[in-house]
Amino acid sequence: MSFTFRCFDPDADAKLLHSWVTRPYAAFWGMQSASVQDVAQEYSKIQSSGHHHALLGLDAGVPAFLMEEYLPVFSPLAGRYAVQPGDIGMHLLVAPPAGPPRPGYTAAVMETVLDRLFAKDKVERVVVEPDARNHKIHVLNERLGFQPAGEIALPDKQALLSFCTREAFHAARAARHSSPIQPSPIRQSPIRQGASL
């Protein structure tokens, strides 16, 4: 498994992302009825915003997930919690599996995404706000060091606000890799992280 990243291209990549976000598993992404053009327009706005950016994650060169990073102070979270210097928001959508389930894959993707975010010197805490009903992602978040801070009302959902500090992530990663029984880092059911767009 070899993950790399590249900028999401709203024109070239919209058809691919559309094939992910309109599937039932991605209901929490909030684009079930979107057209390819809707996806291209939404991500053109994101990429030109200056405070929100989307990246396509590749597994050995094959598109495998979408990650977004954003500044909470310019997001719907502004005014909903006390934004601190070093906060960065994150959304994550793993592609539908292309074959049999591969346990541990989604955790490996999220670990790679968090590692990328915390590699930035100014980032001290990652903020997520998945739908409060998205129980799968809450479990995964806690496994990788996120601590829930309570539910908040956002314009499009009731969200569970959670934070992961650099220290909590490193501790969770160390615990995950020191476990005597580790599932192979291969794909499980796709999970959606973050807010509807």
Side-chain angles (χ1 to χ4, degrees):
M1 204 169 33
S2 174
F3 294 130
T4 55
F5 296 86
R6 68 166 173 80
C7 283
F8 182 85
D9 183 325
D11 295 320
D13 297 325
K15 187 174 180 181
L16 171 69
L17 184 57
H18 177 265
S19 73
W20 299 357
V21 300
T22 54
R23 294 195 188 201
Y25 87 86
F28 291 117
W29 201 255
M31 299 189 85
Q32 293 281 280
S33 60
S35 66
V36 174
Q37 183 178 3
D38 292 334
V39 172
Q41 289 176 344
E42 181 64 31
Y43 280 85
S44 291
K45 287 192 292 186
I46 286 172
Q47 299 298 59
S48 63
S49 70
H51 55 80
H52 193 162
H53 188 65
L55 297 167
L56 198 61
L58 309 174
D59 183 355
V62 178
F65 59 93
L66 178 81
M67 72 162 286
E68 298 174 18
E69 54 186 75
Y70 65 92
L71 296 178
V73 72
F74 297 115
S75 80
L77 289 177
R80 308 292 170 107
Y81 85 97
V83 178
Q84 297 180 7
D87 281 359
I88 193 165
M90 182 265 285
H91 298 154
L92 174 64
L93 179 68
V94 178
R102 298 168 61 190
Y105 189 87
T106 302
V109 166
M110 186 180 281
E111 181 178 319
T112 300
V113 167
L114 290 171
D115 198 47
R116 178 184 176 88
L117 293 172
F118 283 119
K120 300 171 186 278
D121 290 339
K122 294 183 179 180
V123 171
E124 294 299 329
R125 190 168 68 161
V126 177
V127 183
V128 294
E129 21 62 35
D131 193 294
R133 300 166 296 170
N134 192 347
H135 301 295
K136 282 185 178 181
I137 199 63
H138 303 326
V139 171
L140 183 61
N141 284 346
E142 290 194 37
R143 183 177 169 198
L144 286 164
F146 283 90
Q147 295 297 315
E151 292 189 15
I152 58 171
L154 293 176
D156 58 347
K157 65 184 175 184
Q158 187 71 13
L160 179 63
L161 182 68
S162 299
F163 302 100
C164 182
T165 63
R166 183 185 300 273
E167 295 75 16
F169 168 60
H170 288 309
R173 180 168 60 182
R176 183 170 174 259
H177 291 287
S178 67
S179 174
I181 301 175
Q182 279 293 311
S184 58
I186 48 181
R187 182 164 304 194
Q188 63 183 25
S189 300
I191 292 181
R192 188 269 188 256
Q193 170 79 270
S196 297
L197 298 172

